[in-house]
Amino acid sequence: MNEEQLIQAAQKGDLDAFNRLVISYQGLAFNVAYRLLGEESSAEDATQEAFISAYRNLRSYHGGSFKAWLLRIVTNGSYDELRRRQRRPQVPLEPDPIDGDETPDPAWLADPGETPAELAERVELNAAIQRCLNQLEDEFRTAVVLVDVQGLEYTEVAEVLKRPLGTVKSRLARARSRMQECLQGFAELLPEQFRLKGEGV
Amino acid sequence: MKPRVSPKDIEQLSAHLDGSLTEHEQAALTARLAAEPALAAALKQLELTRAMLRRAPQRKTPRSFTLTAAMAGQRRGSLGAWSGFNFASAAASLALILVLLTDFSLNGLPLPAAASGAAEAPQVLMAEAPEEADTALAPEPSPEAFTLEQPPAADEGAGEISAKRSLSASEWIAENARTLEALLASLAVISGVLAWHRRRN
């Protein structure tokens, strides 16, 4: 069955068909939630809640990009979690990976055939990117995560954000510019090829 | 002083990176890039930032997010528990009203049966004590003598207990109204507070 047939079957209550869609999109959904929330356990909860919500509201899907429809649920759930955090700020028990001496557990980043130096570079790059993403406003962060980190098209992002294409373009441009400024602060931690030099734009 | 790159320029450069400019816009930007080194430098930096974001590692999903039948068909566990609390709150409030109505209809204004019984008891003792003193013509009873006179009172108590056993349900409710009211009011308040707390979150 192709995606459209799976969706139709799931809309009729076929849970197995829906779960095949879950398997196709769970990696993307989890990574989007992780980049928006910056924390694994919250991303895990947001992803699971998003799939439950998607299944229960499948009848409200009336065609178009299923990926965009699903990611809209994921991003909305992540925004809800961010709002909850703002209401009740929490102090992390572990030191900040950038400000503190400790680096985050690199196990999930490990790539067979990679040297320790390369792994260390990737861990640092990842931490710097996440730190800078966390400083962006929600919709700016979503735009840059969906386009640059996840490789979605502008039109799909416009569907996810429910914003006109022009708005997506301008938010993405500003988000990239802000990311560039922020990443310049971590120049020493970044791999040689990514050390940004010269004045900011 | 080097020329500043405007936000509008950044937007154009960003769109240029993604190949989303029109032919006319693209031609105009290409001409400017050749003539304005600051704009070309800005493009280079934006390109580097985008490349870095694209290198951001994808996190492996920590588990499968496929739905079980229970997840698909039931409300979340915690929500179910809260629904139970809401129901308990309503049931406790209803039961409280019933007990109050029964209490008022049997006893009039709420002077509790146990309390009025306790208030009468000293009068009975006071009424009986002089009588005994008169018949015996004895001096004031010693503490020991007072203790010896306790068993008959205990027998009366036993008689009351057996009488209580034969009370009807409504009389029993009236008898224990204050305790029941306190219990049900506490339950209603606790359930209400918990439901309010959940709604806030």
Side-chain angles (χ1 to χ4, degrees):
Chain A
M1 279 202 282
N2 62 26
E3 182 174 288
E4 201 179 321
Q5 290 168 325
L6 287 172
I7 293 166
Q8 283 173 357
Q11 281 177 323
K12 289 173 187 162
D14 185 341
L15 185 57
D16 288 339
F18 183 76
N19 277 336
R20 286 176 65 184
L21 293 166
V22 172
I23 290 165
S24 300
Y25 287 110
Q26 61 183 4
L28 173 64
F30 174 74
N31 271 281
V32 168
Y34 173 71
R35 289 295 175 192
L36 295 182
L37 296 168
E39 202 245 314
E40 181 170 319
S41 64
S42 300
E44 212 177 309
D45 291 345
T47 307
Q48 188 67 79
E49 289 294 323
F51 280 122
I52 292 171
S53 175
Y55 183 74
R56 289 184 184 154
N57 295 291
L58 210 48
R59 284 177 193 281
S60 70
Y61 169 75
H62 301 297
S65 166
F66 180 74
K67 179 163 74 173
W69 181 80
L70 181 64
L71 287 178
R72 182 163 171 75
I73 298 174
V74 174
T75 52
N76 284 342
S78 301
Y79 292 164
D80 287 345
E81 172 59 21
L82 290 169
R83 277 192 287 272
R84 267 196 291 274
R85 281 187 197 172
Q86 278 174 350
R87 282 203 302 268
R88 292 183 184 180
Q90 293 172 338
V91 179
L93 293 173
E94 291 173 12
D96 187 289
I98 294 293
D99 295 338
D101 290 329
E102 292 186 20
T103 51
D105 178 11
W108 68 273
L109 286 164
D111 187 6
E114 197 172 41
T115 67
E118 286 168 339
L119 174 61
E121 272 191 350
R122 283 214 302 142
V123 169
E124 281 163 358
L125 173 64
N126 180 64
I129 287 172
Q130 191 59 53
R131 179 68 183 268
C132 291
L133 282 173
N134 291 347
Q135 291 176 13
L136 297 178
E137 289 94 336
D138 291 351
E139 283 203 1
F140 287 67
R141 180 161 62 240
T142 307
V144 84
V145 164
L146 294 178
V147 175
D148 286 339
V149 182
Q150 300 301 335
L152 266 69
E153 298 292 330
Y154 283 4
T155 48
E156 289 177 308
V157 180
E159 269 194 70
V160 173
L161 296 176
K162 292 274 182 209
R163 301 281 183 205
L165 211 56
T167 306
V168 171
K169 283 184 188 177
S170 69
R171 291 196 177 170
L172 177 65
R174 284 181 62 189
R176 281 172 171 168
S177 178
R178 298 260 305 273
M179 285 297 288
Q180 179 199 319
E181 287 166 14
C182 177
L183 286 167
Q184 277 178 331
F186 298 109
E188 296 78 26
L189 298 172
L190 301 177
E192 179 68 36
Q193 72 269 31
F194 293 128
R195 288 184 194 161
L196 302 162
K197 294 187 177 88
E199 78 170 50
V201 288
Chain B
M1 187 177 155
K2 290 179 184 177
R4 292 282 301 167
V5 178
S6 72
K8 184 73 188 163
D9 290 338
I10 293 294
E11 211 172 301
Q12 283 231 318
L13 293 174
S14 176
H16 163 73
L17 283 177
D18 297 326
S20 64
L21 289 178
T22 63
E23 256 183 60
H24 176 72
E25 286 170 332
Q26 185 62 55
L29 184 66
T30 305
R32 280 189 64 200
L33 283 169
E36 297 175 35
L39 196 65
L43 175 63
K44 179 75 186 160
Q45 293 201 341
L46 214 53
E47 199 170 7
L48 213 53
T49 303
R50 191 182 70 148
M52 211 183 308
L53 289 166
R54 288 185 167 184
R55 277 273 306 265
Q58 294 295 302
R59 195 142 190 162
K60 285 176 190 162
T61 49
R63 62 183 172 86
S64 170
F65 293 102
T66 52
L67 306 192
T68 62
M71 286 162 125
Q74 294 169 1
R75 293 172 74 80
R76 282 182 301 168
S78 57
L79 195 62
W82 282 109
S83 302
F85 270 119
N86 289 339
F87 176 75
S89 179
S93 305
L94 189 64
L96 178 62
I97 291 166
L98 285 174
V99 168
L100 283 171
L101 286 175
T102 312
D103 187 22
F104 291 161
S105 65
L106 290 177
N107 295 332
L109 274 175
L111 236 194
S116 59
E120 282 165 15
Q123 289 173 1
V124 171
L125 282 176
M126 283 169 72
E128 283 173 359
E131 242 178 72
E132 283 176 29
D134 288 348
T135 49
L137 291 174
E140 246 181 30
S142 66
E144 290 81 5
F146 187 77
T147 312
L148 285 173
E149 284 172 14
Q150 293 305 305
D155 287 346
E156 280 171 25
E160 278 178 28
I161 289 167
S162 61
K164 275 180 190 170
R165 278 186 190 135
S166 64
L167 290 176
S168 68
S170 58
E171 284 169 334
W172 185 87
I173 289 173
E175 192 97 335
N176 298 285
R178 281 293 173 265
T179 312
L180 280 171
E181 284 162 16
L183 277 173
L184 291 170
S186 306
L187 183 55
V189 168
I190 290 167
S191 304
V193 167
L194 290 172
W196 171 78
H197 185 258
R198 181 193 169 268
R199 204 165 289 133
R200 274 197 64 186
N201 296 319

